[in-house]
Amino acid sequence: MNHPFQSDRSTTFDFSVGHSTLKAKWARRAKTIPALFVAFFLTWILLPVLVSLVCIHDLLRDRTFARTRLTLFGAWWLAMELFGVSAAFALWLVFAPPRRLGSTTSLRFHSRLQQLWARSLAFGAKYAIGFRWSVEGIECLRPSGPLIVLARHGSQGDALLTAALLTKAGRRLRFVLKRQLLTDPCLDVVGHRIPNYFVDRDSSDNHQELSNINVLAADLDDDEALVIFPEGTRFSPTKLVNAVAAVAETAPARTAAIMNLRSVLPLRTAGTLAALEATEADIVICNHVGIDDISSFSQLREAVPLRRPLKFKLWRTRRSDVPPRQREDELIKWLDHQWSEVDEWVTRNQ
Protein backbone atom coordinates (compact mmCIF):
# COMPACT_ATOMS: atom_id res chain seq x y z
CA MET A 1 0.00 0.00 0.00
CA ASN A 2 1.34 3.44 -1.00
CA HIS A 3 -0.36 5.58 1.65
CA PRO A 4 0.17 9.37 1.68
CA PHE A 5 3.06 9.17 4.16
CA GLN A 6 5.10 7.35 1.54
CA SER A 7 3.69 8.73 -1.69
CA ASP A 8 6.12 8.84 -4.59
CA ARG A 9 4.31 11.81 -6.12
CA SER A 10 6.09 15.10 -6.64
CA THR A 11 3.57 16.68 -4.26
CA THR A 12 4.36 15.81 -0.65
CA PHE A 13 1.60 15.31 1.88
CA ASP A 14 1.25 17.11 5.17
CA PHE A 15 -1.57 16.69 7.66
CA SER A 16 -2.12 20.45 7.71
CA VAL A 17 -0.36 23.54 6.47
CA GLY A 18 1.72 24.96 9.31
CA HIS A 19 0.03 23.00 12.11
CA SER A 20 1.62 19.56 11.76
CA THR A 21 5.29 20.40 12.15
CA LEU A 22 6.99 18.77 15.12
CA LYS A 23 7.23 22.13 16.87
CA ALA A 24 3.58 23.03 16.26
CA LYS A 25 2.31 19.61 17.35
CA TRP A 26 4.16 19.54 20.65
CA ALA A 27 3.46 23.20 21.43
CA ARG A 28 -0.24 22.38 21.07
CA ARG A 29 -0.14 19.01 22.85
CA ALA A 30 1.84 20.40 25.77
CA LYS A 31 -1.37 22.29 26.59
CA THR A 32 -4.21 20.03 25.44
CA ILE A 33 -3.02 16.68 26.82
CA PRO A 34 -2.28 17.89 30.39
CA ALA A 35 -5.60 19.78 30.30
CA LEU A 36 -7.35 16.54 29.36
CA PHE A 37 -5.80 14.65 32.28
CA VAL A 38 -6.66 17.40 34.75
CA ALA A 39 -10.25 17.69 33.47
CA PHE A 40 -10.73 13.92 33.57
CA PHE A 41 -9.46 13.40 37.11
CA LEU A 42 -11.26 16.43 38.56
CA THR A 43 -14.52 15.46 36.86
CA TRP A 44 -14.45 11.82 37.91
CA ILE A 45 -13.31 12.54 41.48
CA LEU A 46 -16.10 15.08 41.89
CA LEU A 47 -18.66 13.18 39.78
CA PRO A 48 -20.81 11.90 42.69
CA VAL A 49 -21.11 15.46 44.03
CA LEU A 50 -21.71 16.97 40.59
CA VAL A 51 -24.39 14.42 39.68
CA SER A 52 -26.12 14.86 43.06
CA LEU A 53 -26.25 18.64 42.73
CA VAL A 54 -27.49 18.75 39.14
CA CYS A 55 -29.96 15.94 39.83
CA ILE A 56 -31.48 17.91 42.71
CA HIS A 57 -31.67 20.99 40.46
CA ASP A 58 -33.37 18.96 37.74
CA LEU A 59 -35.86 17.49 40.21
CA LEU A 60 -36.86 21.00 41.21
CA ARG A 61 -36.65 22.80 37.87
CA ASP A 62 -36.40 20.45 34.91
CA ARG A 63 -37.87 16.97 35.01
CA THR A 64 -36.20 16.05 31.71
CA PHE A 65 -32.95 15.81 33.74
CA ALA A 66 -31.07 17.56 30.92
CA ARG A 67 -28.23 18.82 33.15
CA THR A 68 -27.80 15.41 34.76
CA ARG A 69 -27.66 13.72 31.37
CA LEU A 70 -25.14 16.23 30.04
CA THR A 71 -22.95 15.87 33.12
CA LEU A 72 -22.84 12.09 32.68
CA PHE A 73 -22.14 12.36 28.97
CA GLY A 74 -19.40 14.94 29.57
CA ALA A 75 -17.72 12.54 32.00
CA TRP A 76 -18.02 9.71 29.46
CA TRP A 77 -16.56 11.92 26.72
CA LEU A 78 -13.53 12.75 28.87
CA ALA A 79 -13.06 9.06 29.65
CA MET A 80 -13.11 8.15 25.95
CA GLU A 81 -10.70 10.99 25.16
CA LEU A 82 -8.30 9.73 27.81
CA PHE A 83 -8.70 6.17 26.56
CA GLY A 84 -7.92 7.27 22.98
CA VAL A 85 -4.79 9.18 23.94
CA SER A 86 -3.58 6.38 26.23
CA ALA A 87 -4.20 3.71 23.59
CA ALA A 88 -2.37 5.83 21.03
CA PHE A 89 0.61 6.02 23.39
CA ALA A 90 0.56 2.23 23.80
CA LEU A 91 0.52 1.79 20.02
CA TRP A 92 3.43 4.24 19.75
CA LEU A 93 5.42 2.06 22.16
CA VAL A 94 4.74 -0.95 19.95
CA PHE A 95 5.36 0.56 16.52
CA ALA A 96 7.68 3.55 16.95
CA PRO A 97 10.88 1.86 18.24
CA PRO A 98 11.13 -0.48 15.21
CA ARG A 99 10.22 2.50 12.97
CA ARG A 100 6.95 0.92 11.85
CA LEU A 101 4.54 3.68 12.93
CA GLY A 102 3.64 4.27 9.27
CA SER A 103 3.33 0.58 8.38
CA THR A 104 0.14 -1.02 7.08
CA THR A 105 -0.25 -2.96 10.34
CA SER A 106 0.05 0.21 12.40
CA LEU A 107 -2.47 2.00 10.15
CA ARG A 108 -4.99 -0.79 10.65
CA PHE A 109 -4.56 -0.79 14.44
CA HIS A 110 -5.02 2.97 14.55
CA SER A 111 -8.09 2.70 12.31
CA ARG A 112 -9.54 0.17 14.77
CA LEU A 113 -8.84 2.63 17.57
CA GLN A 114 -10.66 5.35 15.60
CA GLN A 115 -13.60 2.97 15.13
CA LEU A 116 -13.74 2.03 18.82
CA TRP A 117 -13.50 5.65 19.95
CA ALA A 118 -16.27 6.89 17.65
CA ARG A 119 -18.64 4.02 18.41
CA SER A 120 -17.99 4.29 22.15
CA LEU A 121 -18.94 7.97 22.11
CA ALA A 122 -22.11 7.10 20.17
CA PHE A 123 -22.85 4.39 22.76
CA GLY A 124 -22.49 6.90 25.59
CA ALA A 125 -24.70 9.41 23.76
CA LYS A 126 -27.40 6.75 23.36
CA TYR A 127 -27.76 6.11 27.08
CA ALA A 128 -26.95 9.58 28.42
CA ILE A 129 -28.75 11.98 26.08
CA GLY A 130 -31.11 9.74 24.11
CA PHE A 131 -29.16 9.58 20.86
CA ARG A 132 -30.70 7.17 18.33
CA TRP A 133 -30.38 6.69 14.61
CA SER A 134 -31.80 4.87 11.63
CA VAL A 135 -30.11 4.33 8.29
CA GLU A 136 -31.52 3.90 4.80
CA GLY A 137 -29.09 2.57 2.19
CA ILE A 138 -26.39 1.20 4.50
CA GLU A 139 -25.91 -1.72 2.10
CA CYS A 140 -24.25 0.60 -0.41
CA LEU A 141 -21.17 0.76 1.83
CA ARG A 142 -20.57 -2.97 1.91
CA PRO A 143 -19.55 -3.86 -1.65
CA SER A 144 -15.77 -3.71 -1.80
CA GLY A 145 -13.99 -0.86 -3.49
CA PRO A 146 -12.77 2.55 -2.35
CA LEU A 147 -15.27 5.35 -1.78
CA ILE A 148 -15.44 9.12 -1.78
CA VAL A 149 -18.13 10.08 0.74
CA LEU A 150 -19.73 13.51 0.36
CA ALA A 151 -21.41 14.16 3.70
CA ARG A 152 -23.91 16.84 4.63
CA HIS A 153 -22.66 19.23 7.33
CA GLY A 154 -25.61 20.09 9.55
CA SER A 155 -24.20 20.05 13.10
CA GLN A 156 -20.98 20.22 15.10
CA GLY A 157 -21.01 16.46 15.69
CA ASP A 158 -21.12 15.41 12.04
CA ALA A 159 -17.58 14.03 11.88
CA LEU A 160 -18.21 11.81 14.92
CA LEU A 161 -21.62 10.67 13.68
CA THR A 162 -20.31 9.88 10.21
CA ALA A 163 -17.33 7.99 11.66
CA ALA A 164 -19.59 5.90 13.90
CA LEU A 165 -21.86 5.02 10.97
CA LEU A 166 -19.20 4.21 8.38
CA THR A 167 -16.88 2.27 10.68
CA LYS A 168 -19.83 0.11 11.77
CA ALA A 169 -20.10 -0.91 8.11
CA GLY A 170 -16.45 -2.01 8.19
CA ARG A 171 -14.91 1.01 6.47
CA ARG A 172 -11.53 2.47 7.37
CA LEU A 173 -11.74 6.24 7.07
CA ARG A 174 -9.71 9.17 5.90
CA PHE A 175 -11.19 12.57 6.74
CA VAL A 176 -10.90 16.11 5.47
CA LEU A 177 -11.55 18.08 8.68
CA LYS A 178 -11.27 21.69 9.79
CA ARG A 179 -7.93 22.44 11.47
CA GLN A 180 -9.69 23.77 14.60
CA LEU A 181 -10.36 20.14 15.57
CA LEU A 182 -6.65 19.74 16.30
CA THR A 183 -7.42 21.19 19.74
CA ASP A 184 -9.07 17.82 20.51
CA PRO A 185 -6.07 15.78 21.78
CA CYS A 186 -7.40 12.41 20.64
CA LEU A 187 -8.20 13.65 17.13
CA ASP A 188 -4.84 15.39 17.04
CA VAL A 189 -2.72 12.38 18.07
CA VAL A 190 -4.59 9.57 16.30
CA GLY A 191 -5.46 11.83 13.38
CA HIS A 192 -1.74 12.25 12.70
CA ARG A 193 -1.19 8.49 12.62
CA ILE A 194 -3.73 7.63 9.91
CA PRO A 195 -4.29 9.60 6.71
CA ASN A 196 -6.36 12.71 7.41
CA TYR A 197 -6.12 16.31 6.33
CA PHE A 198 -6.91 19.25 8.62
CA VAL A 199 -7.85 22.01 6.22
CA ASP A 200 -7.63 25.76 6.78
CA ARG A 201 -11.00 26.88 5.46
CA ASP A 202 -9.98 30.54 5.54
CA SER A 203 -6.72 30.18 3.65
CA SER A 204 -6.16 32.96 1.11
CA ASP A 205 -4.02 30.62 -1.02
CA ASN A 206 -5.60 27.18 -1.19
CA HIS A 207 -3.12 25.62 -3.64
CA GLN A 208 -1.32 23.59 -0.99
CA GLU A 209 -4.61 22.69 0.70
CA LEU A 210 -5.95 21.25 -2.56
CA SER A 211 -2.67 19.48 -3.31
CA ASN A 212 -2.79 17.70 0.02
CA ILE A 213 -6.44 16.68 -0.46
CA ASN A 214 -5.43 15.30 -3.85
CA VAL A 215 -2.65 13.20 -2.30
CA LEU A 216 -4.94 12.11 0.55
CA ALA A 217 -7.40 10.65 -1.97
CA ALA A 218 -4.75 8.64 -3.81
CA ASP A 219 -4.17 4.93 -3.19
CA LEU A 220 -7.35 4.22 -1.25
CA ASP A 221 -7.63 0.54 -0.34
CA ASP A 222 -10.77 -1.45 -1.11
CA ASP A 223 -12.06 -1.08 2.47
CA GLU A 224 -11.28 2.65 2.78
CA ALA A 225 -13.45 5.73 2.34
CA LEU A 226 -12.43 9.37 2.13
CA VAL A 227 -14.99 11.61 3.85
CA ILE A 228 -15.43 15.23 2.75
CA PHE A 229 -17.96 17.79 3.98
CA PRO A 230 -18.22 19.70 0.71
CA GLU A 231 -20.37 22.55 2.03
CA GLY A 232 -17.29 23.64 3.99
CA THR A 233 -19.24 24.82 7.04
CA ARG A 234 -22.45 24.13 8.92
CA PHE A 235 -25.76 25.27 7.46
CA SER A 236 -27.65 28.36 8.57
CA PRO A 237 -30.12 30.52 6.62
CA THR A 238 -27.72 33.47 6.72
CA LYS A 239 -24.84 31.34 5.44
CA LEU A 240 -27.08 30.07 2.63
CA VAL A 241 -27.85 33.58 1.40
CA ASN A 242 -24.18 34.55 1.51
CA ALA A 243 -22.99 31.33 -0.14
CA VAL A 244 -25.46 31.59 -3.03
CA ALA A 245 -24.42 35.22 -3.59
CA ALA A 246 -20.74 34.23 -3.58
CA VAL A 247 -21.25 31.42 -6.09
CA ALA A 248 -23.34 33.68 -8.32
CA GLU A 249 -20.42 36.09 -8.43
CA THR A 250 -17.57 33.59 -8.90
CA ALA A 251 -19.34 30.87 -10.93
CA PRO A 252 -22.48 32.41 -12.49
CA ALA A 253 -23.10 29.27 -14.60
CA ARG A 254 -24.03 27.45 -11.37
CA THR A 255 -26.61 30.01 -10.23
CA ALA A 256 -29.65 28.26 -11.67
CA ALA A 257 -28.66 24.97 -10.03
CA ILE A 258 -28.28 26.40 -6.52
CA MET A 259 -30.72 29.30 -6.26
CA ASN A 260 -33.57 27.07 -5.01
CA LEU A 261 -31.62 25.42 -2.18
CA ARG A 262 -33.47 25.68 1.15
CA SER A 263 -31.83 23.40 3.70
CA VAL A 264 -28.21 22.88 2.62
CA LEU A 265 -25.39 25.11 1.41
CA PRO A 266 -24.12 24.94 -2.17
CA LEU A 267 -21.06 22.77 -2.65
CA ARG A 268 -17.60 24.24 -2.52
CA THR A 269 -16.35 22.23 -5.44
CA ALA A 270 -12.57 22.77 -5.26
CA GLY A 271 -11.82 20.17 -2.57
CA THR A 272 -14.18 17.59 -4.04
CA LEU A 273 -12.67 18.01 -7.51
CA ALA A 274 -9.15 17.70 -6.07
CA ALA A 275 -10.11 14.38 -4.46
CA LEU A 276 -11.88 13.04 -7.55
CA GLU A 277 -8.87 13.85 -9.70
CA ALA A 278 -6.72 11.40 -7.69
CA THR A 279 -9.00 8.35 -7.62
CA GLU A 280 -11.63 6.43 -9.57
CA ALA A 281 -13.49 5.56 -6.37
CA ASP A 282 -17.28 5.36 -6.39
CA ILE A 283 -19.14 8.30 -4.83
CA VAL A 284 -21.46 7.95 -1.82
CA ILE A 285 -23.76 10.75 -0.70
CA CYS A 286 -24.27 10.72 3.09
CA ASN A 287 -27.35 12.72 4.05
CA HIS A 288 -28.95 13.15 7.46
CA VAL A 289 -31.52 15.04 9.49
CA GLY A 290 -32.43 15.04 13.16
CA ILE A 291 -29.75 17.08 14.94
CA ASP A 292 -29.67 20.79 14.24
CA ASP A 293 -26.59 22.90 14.81
CA ILE A 294 -26.21 23.88 18.46
CA SER A 295 -24.11 26.97 19.20
CA SER A 296 -24.64 27.47 22.95
CA PHE A 297 -25.00 25.44 26.14
CA SER A 298 -28.58 26.66 26.60
CA GLN A 299 -29.52 25.32 23.16
CA LEU A 300 -27.83 22.03 23.99
CA ARG A 301 -29.68 21.80 27.31
CA GLU A 302 -33.00 22.45 25.60
CA ALA A 303 -32.31 19.74 23.02
CA VAL A 304 -31.56 17.03 25.63
CA PRO A 305 -32.91 14.40 25.79
CA LEU A 306 -32.93 14.18 22.01
CA ARG A 307 -36.55 13.90 20.98
CA ARG A 308 -36.23 12.24 17.60
CA PRO A 309 -33.77 9.83 16.03
CA LEU A 310 -31.12 10.93 13.63
CA LYS A 311 -32.07 9.68 10.17
CA PHE A 312 -29.39 8.86 7.62
CA LYS A 313 -29.86 8.23 3.92
CA LEU A 314 -26.99 7.03 1.72
CA TRP A 315 -26.74 6.33 -1.97
CA ARG A 316 -23.83 5.21 -4.11
CA THR A 317 -23.00 6.07 -7.70
CA ARG A 318 -20.54 4.04 -9.72
CA ARG A 319 -17.73 6.17 -11.00
CA SER A 320 -18.39 5.02 -14.55
CA ASP A 321 -21.78 6.77 -14.29
CA VAL A 322 -20.19 10.09 -13.26
CA PRO A 323 -18.82 12.61 -15.79
CA PRO A 324 -15.02 12.32 -15.91
CA ARG A 325 -12.81 14.87 -14.20
CA GLN A 326 -11.63 16.14 -17.59
CA ARG A 327 -15.17 17.40 -18.32
CA GLU A 328 -15.25 19.68 -15.31
CA ASP A 329 -18.36 21.65 -16.23
CA GLU A 330 -20.39 18.46 -16.61
CA LEU A 331 -19.00 17.02 -13.38
CA ILE A 332 -19.89 20.15 -11.40
CA LYS A 333 -23.38 20.09 -12.93
CA TRP A 334 -23.74 16.46 -11.80
CA LEU A 335 -22.55 17.31 -8.28
CA ASP A 336 -24.99 20.23 -8.05
CA HIS A 337 -27.82 17.93 -9.13
CA GLN A 338 -26.90 15.40 -6.44
CA TRP A 339 -26.84 18.17 -3.86
CA SER A 340 -30.25 19.42 -4.94
CA GLU A 341 -31.54 15.92 -4.13
CA VAL A 342 -29.86 16.19 -0.73
CA ASP A 343 -31.66 19.50 -0.20
CA GLU A 344 -35.02 18.08 -1.27
CA TRP A 345 -34.71 15.11 1.13
CA VAL A 346 -33.59 17.29 4.06
CA THR A 347 -36.42 19.78 3.48
CA ARG A 348 -38.97 16.98 3.31
CA ASN A 349 -37.73 15.12 6.40
CA GLN A 350 -36.55 17.68 8.95
Side-chain angles (χ1 to χ4, degrees):
M1 172 185 175
N2 251 346
H3 54 72
F5 306 114
Q6 299 168 346
S7 175
D8 58 2
R9 292 164 168 252
S10 59
T11 303
T12 58
F13 176 81
D14 194 1
F15 289 92
S16 66
V17 177
H19 297 273
S20 294
T21 63
L22 189 62
K23 181 179 179 180
K25 284 192 295 185
W26 288 109
R28 181 171 62 246
R29 294 172 188 177
K31 301 174 183 177
T32 59
I33 293 178
L36 169 62
F37 275 80
V38 170
F40 170 81
F41 285 111
L42 285 178
T43 298
W44 279 87
I45 289 171
L46 298 174
L47 190 59
V49 176
L50 290 173
V51 170
S52 298
L53 290 175
V54 295
C55 189
I56 292 171
H57 182 278
D58 285 342
L59 278 171
L60 297 174
R61 300 286 299 275
D62 180 9
R63 292 301 180 91
T64 65
F65 291 91
R67 290 175 178 81
T68 305
R69 291 170 179 269
L70 287 171
T71 300
L72 292 171
F73 182 63
W76 179 258
W77 184 290
L78 288 170
M80 292 303 99
E81 282 285 316
L82 188 64
F83 162 75
V85 172
S86 301
F89 178 67
L91 290 174
W92 183 88
L93 290 176
V94 172
F95 291 106
R99 298 182 181 277
R100 299 185 64 240
L101 200 57
S103 67
T104 300
T105 303
S106 174
L107 288 174
R108 290 188 177 276
F109 269 99
H110 283 89
S111 291
R112 290 187 190 121
L113 175 57
Q114 178 193 51
Q115 175 184 15
L116 182 59
W117 179 76
R119 294 179 65 181
S120 295
L121 284 173
F123 172 85
K126 175 181 178 180
Y127 289 100
I129 61 176
F131 173 67
R132 297 157 292 150
W133 70 24
S134 63
V135 187
E136 178 184 348
I138 189 68
E139 64 278 356
C140 78
L141 298 173
R142 296 193 178 113
S144 63
L147 300 175
I148 298 290
V149 178
L150 306 182
R152 183 199 170 213
H153 200 355
S155 69
Q156 296 199 39
D158 285 344
L160 169 64
L161 298 173
T162 305
L165 173 66
L166 298 183
T167 56
K168 188 175 182 180
R171 288 284 172 174
R172 292 188 297 126
L173 305 179
R174 305 181 185 188
F175 272 99
V176 178
L177 299 166
K178 62 181 181 180
R179 64 174 175 82
Q180 287 84 352
L181 290 175
L182 289 171
T183 57
D184 182 304
C186 191
L187 282 175
D188 185 7
V189 175
V190 180
H192 277 88
R193 304 267 183 88
I194 53 180
N196 293 290
Y197 186 65
F198 295 89
V199 66
D200 183 353
R201 298 178 299 181
D202 302 318
S203 174
S204 58
D205 181 7
N206 65 359
H207 175 74
Q208 193 171 356
E209 308 282 347
L210 297 178
S211 295
N212 281 321
I213 292 173
N214 181 269
V215 178
L216 180 67
D219 304 317
L220 290 166
D221 278 354
D222 282 349
D223 63 342
E224 284 190 294
L226 171 61
V227 182
I228 303 176
F229 298 94
E231 293 162 287
T233 187
R234 301 183 303 277
F235 173 85
S236 75
T238 300
K239 290 178 181 178
L240 176 58
V241 172
N242 294 337
V244 170
V247 172
E249 181 178 348
T250 58
R254 296 180 60 201
T255 303
I258 66 170
M259 64 184 302
N260 293 321
L261 295 178
R262 294 162 289 176
S263 304
V264 300
L265 302 179
L267 299 175
R268 295 183 182 182
T269 57
T272 301
L273 293 177
L276 294 177
E277 187 175 37
T279 178
E280 288 301 313
D282 289 353
I283 298 175
V284 168
I285 305 295
C286 180
N287 199 356
H288 70 80
V289 293
I291 297 181
D292 297 326
D293 189 33
I294 295 171
S295 58
S296 68
F297 180 79
S298 62
Q299 290 179 342
L300 179 60
R301 187 184 65 240
E302 291 171 4
V304 172
L306 302 177
R307 292 168 179 81
R308 57 179 178 151
L310 184 70
K311 180 189 287 188
F312 280 97
K313 181 176 181 179
L314 299 92
W315 65 91
R316 179 171 178 168
T317 304
R318 293 179 301 177
R319 194 58 181 276
S320 58
D321 294 330
V322 178
R325 179 67 179 85
Q326 294 79 4
R327 300 208 300 269
E328 184 171 300
D329 290 345
E330 292 180 34
L331 178 54
I332 291 175
K333 184 177 180 180
W334 182 86
L335 290 168
D336 280 335
H337 175 71
Q338 296 295 306
W339 219 244
S340 69
E341 293 189 8
V342 169
D343 179 71
E344 176 63 29
W345 187 85
V346 172
T347 303
R348 188 170 65 250
N349 284 276
Q350 65 182 354

